[in-house]
Amino acid sequence: MGSAAILVKKIYDGDTIGVLIAGQFQKVRLIGIDAPEMDQRPWGGKARDCLEALIRATASKVSLEYDLEQKDKYGRLLAYVRTQDGKIINEEMLRKGCAVLFTLPPNVKYAGRLQAAQCKARDLKAGIWGEHGLQERPYDFRKEHPR
């Protein structure tokens, strides 16, 4: 298991947060999900709001669980973000239809659970899977609109 009671200081979008670990600010990318980009209106904002609500429900205190690779090429920590009662926020984002599955080996510890959460959201037409849902996967959007 990861570390205990880490304070979330910033929510960048639906799959990236900023936390304080031992007094140091770190960016954390949620493993296994890809949320719509902020420019993918209205879904980017909705994804950020969804993540913010999940984190606010934990009094902004979470724990991080790492997989095999702990950092991405941008230097962000890669983690499963857990609520104090053990729920995986990454999975909740998929279940609510606020993100799409984005499995990147070797970080596949919960790939099956994450995939099941996305399938459930799709079956229920939740969030991005509903009518007037997300038109383009975040990955494809980024390729067409590089920063």
Side-chain angles (χ1 to χ4, degrees), residues 114-147:
L114 297 177
Q115 185 166 15
Q118 175 170 288
C119 287
K120 190 171 196 161
R122 198 182 298 150
D123 290 348
L124 296 172
K125 297 193 180 340
I128 61 176
W129 304 108
E131 200 176 341
H132 309 296
L134 189 65
Q135 300 302 308
E136 187 176 25
R137 295 178 79 83
Y139 177 81
D140 296 325
F141 183 86
R142 282 192 301 276
K143 278 204 316 210
E144 286 174 34
H145 307 88
R147 286 190 226 166

Side-chain angles (χ1 to χ4, degrees), residues 22-37:
Q24 236 185 350
F25 186 80
Q26 298 269 352
K27 258 185 163 179
V28 178
R29 174 73 166 74
L30 279 69
I31 295 174
I33 70 170
D34 198 10
E37 295 299 317

Side-chain angles (χ1 to χ4, degrees), residues 6 16 18 31 33 35-36 44 49 60 65-66 68 71 83 96 112 114 120 128 134 136 138 141 145:
I6 289 171
T16 309
I31 295 174
I33 70 170
D49 293 348
S60 297
E65 180 181 350
Y66 304 102
L68 296 177
K71 287 201 170 180
T83 61
K96 290 175 176 293
L114 297 177
K120 190 171 196 161
I128 61 176
L134 189 65
E136 187 176 25
F141 183 86
H145 307 88

